[in-house]
Amino acid sequence: FRRLGHLSAQPAITLYDCLDELDRAAEAKTVFDAALKAHADDGAMLLFAARVATTASDTARANEFLERARTRSHDADWLRASARILHQRGELAEALQHWEKVAAIHPLDLGAQRAVAGLKYDLGGRMVAVAYLRSVTDRFPHHQGLCELFIEWLDEAPLPESEAALHRLLAINPANAWAERQLALNLARQRRFPDAHQSMARAKELAPNALPWHNVMGSILILEGRRSEAQDAFRAALRL
């Protein structure tokens, strides 16, 4: 911070977050004040200042910093910061609107899409969130990250529906060990144990030393009623 702080606000932001995490509030405030003085017109610094003010429940000052940052920041950066602040204040509908604008600018931004889905769930329920992510993956069917995010939200969906989504993901990337393990567990829950074990064999080939493999295998063996073998699988996981 002392060496490079005059060039950019980023070292001060990083240092502040570290000090805050360590509950060294007085030192953090000293860093913040110095950085704000040195970078009073820097968009990133003003957005950070708005976050700090929001955490301190100083809504008026947070709004002031946001307004000053509006013309000094990229639209998406300003919207992200504003969305997080609105969410922190509990203004969920307004936060969702901002995140939707970010997602419109950068539709492949997983953080933005995750935030939109989460807020849609908070405001409208799981079906609304799942429908939204389905529309996104229909638009970008070959984006692995978006497909994985969609699958994460299908934990309460009918098993054949999540199975189909997993097959689509594996068609994009046959080397996705996580998807192969999830498919195996899905098949086991459908009582299709031979198919499940075939998927687990493929998953082990893809990631032979992955700790989750043993946990998933243990869960499958429990579903089969093979408790002794399941215990061995879980013990193997603990040894890793």
Side-chain angles (χ1 to χ4, degrees):
F1 167 62
R2 293 188 183 92
R3 186 162 57 91
L4 300 174
H6 65 287
L7 298 176
S8 167
Q10 293 302 325
I13 292 171
T14 301
L15 180 57
Y16 177 95
D17 283 334
C18 292
L19 292 169
D20 186 58
E21 187 71 22
L22 294 170
D23 292 324
R24 292 162 62 176
E27 294 170 83
K29 185 179 185 306
T30 299
V31 169
F32 173 80
D33 290 342
L36 187 58
K37 182 178 179 180
H39 303 283
D41 294 321
D42 181 88
M45 184 65 216
L46 291 169
L47 292 176
F48 176 69
R51 170 161 70 88
V52 171
T54 299
T55 301
S57 300
D58 191 343
T59 302
R61 198 161 186 232
N63 289 340
E64 176 193 340
F65 286 130
L66 278 176
E67 278 306 308
R68 287 171 57 190
R70 187 187 285 272
T71 58
R72 297 174 172 87
S73 309
H74 293 296
D75 287 346
D77 292 338
W78 188 88
L79 287 165
R80 282 190 192 93
S82 184
R84 293 188 181 108
I85 288 169
L86 288 165
H87 197 170
Q88 193 170 343
R89 293 177 187 169
E91 300 175 34
L92 301 188
E94 293 80 2
L96 174 58
Q97 291 175 5
H98 282 62
W99 277 120
E100 286 176 328
K101 290 177 182 177
V102 176
I105 298 170
H106 298 296
L108 303 183
D109 183 333
L110 288 176
Q113 297 292 8
R114 190 180 298 277
V116 171
L119 285 164
K120 283 185 177 291
Y121 170 76
D122 291 336
L123 294 167
R126 182 171 293 275
M127 290 182 63
V128 175
V130 169
Y132 170 75
L133 289 174
R134 182 179 289 108
S135 70
V136 174
T137 53
D138 286 346
R139 185 181 173 196
F140 301 102
H142 302 297
H143 192 283
Q144 177 171 293
L146 290 174
C147 289
E148 289 177 349
L149 178 59
F150 178 49
I151 289 166
E152 290 173 15
W153 278 88
L154 291 178
D155 56 339
E156 295 183 11
L159 291 170
E161 181 180 352
S162 52
E163 179 191 352
L166 285 161
H167 281 300
R168 286 196 298 272
L169 177 55
L170 285 165
I172 298 170
N173 179 13
N176 189 321
W178 173 82
E180 199 70 70
R181 292 191 299 268
Q182 292 302 116
L183 176 61
L185 189 57
N186 177 288
L187 294 168
R189 288 169 176 161
Q190 296 185 64
R191 317 299 295 178
R192 292 161 56 187
F193 294 115
D195 293 338
H197 284 287
Q198 288 180 13
S199 282
M200 286 301 285
R202 288 192 293 270
K204 192 170 185 64
E205 290 175 2
L206 293 169
N209 299 316
L211 185 151
W213 187 91
H214 298 281
N215 290 328
V216 173
M217 178 58 82
S219 298
I220 291 171
L221 291 168
I222 284 176
L223 289 169
E224 284 187 277
R226 297 161 62 180
R227 291 188 171 274
S228 177
E229 293 168 88
Q231 289 176 346
D232 291 340
F234 291 131
R235 289 192 183 101
L238 291 173
R239 286 194 294 271
L240 292 178

